[in-house]
Amino acid sequence: MKKDLDAVVERLKAAKRVLVIGHIKPDGDDISSVVTLVLILRKLGKVAEGCIAGEIPWFYKDLADVPLIKNVDDLRDFEYDTSVTVDASELSRIGDAVELLKGKKPDVTIDHHQTNVGFGEIDFYDSAYAAAAVIIYEIGKQLVDYDARLAEINLLGIATDTGFFKYSNTDYKVFSYAAELVKAGASIQRISSAVLEHRTLNEVKLLSEMFAKLHIEEDGKLAWSYVSTEMLRHTGCTEDDAGGLVGEIRSMYGVEIAILFIEWPEGDVHISFRSKNYADVSKVALEFGGGGHVRAAGCSCKGVDLEEMINKVVARTRQALKPDK
Ligand code: 5GP
Ligand code: MN
């Protein structure tokens, strides 16, 4: 845990040109943190750009200002004096955006993952924060006045990383900051509609196929399923469309750990872990080269066989149901 937020604020105040970088396979918190920080810096009169390597799920682009995020190629000639990563627990999480750092450490890193390794010149990370967007808000409110658009994009990350104010990380601070952002003009309805109500017919078909493969063991405490390349192809879905499905498994009564294996492209498997009350899935993800939070973690394995990965990972995850594993 490294918690000197003043050092981050001072570094940002001194900056003139800033590159803000999020992580690959971005979620709402990541997108929110990148866009919010860019808008804060621009409000302060600085030149700021936001970068995420790879695709951004299409439904986030309905939210104002998300389209300002650029890809790596757009920013190769962008000159900056300060680089900042948000919501990334280690350097590899920013994917190809690492090329923009030209071999240097990020100047500032801002994160809230349990598995953070501290990889910048100035690091701020603390897993007590429900979202990176909560940290961004603590920075932002010291520096600028919030208008409705800034408030709404900042609220996106707080809402999504708390499961829309349901998870155990939904603390007093989350509600009080969310209230301030709503007071400044943010609409939780617009955010929830964009993020939670975008399922296409193809995704519903994928969901039903995923549930058809569901395995339940350990007295109903461990539930897992998979989405193969073949299932994605014939339902007309992409890997992104499978992103939220692990939550559907966890939603079952009595399930403590849910695992979803997503094979995409063939030979690569992304594994999403979710736990409900006590199991620490970040430890399991870490052992397979990934990381994350106690209740939500993941890893990406390249050049592997789906069935072999399922066997290995399920065997290891059974242990995680026991105390202290
Ligand atoms: P998801 O299952 O939604 O892909 O990821 C859940 C959580 O685990 C997210 O907070 C994400 O940042 C983290 N995570 C997912 N994949 C990886 C990975 O390959 N490496 C690390 N360090 N964290 C990951
Ligand atoms: Mn986050």
Side-chain angles (χ1 to χ4, degrees), residues 27 29 87 112-113 132 161 293:
D27 55 8
D29 185 30
D87 202 37
H112 71 126
H113 286 90
D161 257 24
H293 309 283

Side-chain angles (χ1 to χ4, degrees), residues 89-90 93 113 270 272 274 290-293 296-300:
S89 54
E90 55 183 310
R93 292 287 292 152
H113 286 90
H270 180 78
S272 289
R274 298 289 184 271
H293 309 283
C299 56
S300 289

Side-chain angles (χ1 to χ4, degrees), residues 3-13 122 124 139 142:
K3 303 195 3 164
D4 188 2
L5 199 57
D6 291 344
V8 172
V9 171
E10 289 313 312
R11 186 72 176 80
L12 293 177
K13 274 191 195 159
I122 300 173
F124 181 92
I139 295 170
Q142 294 186 44

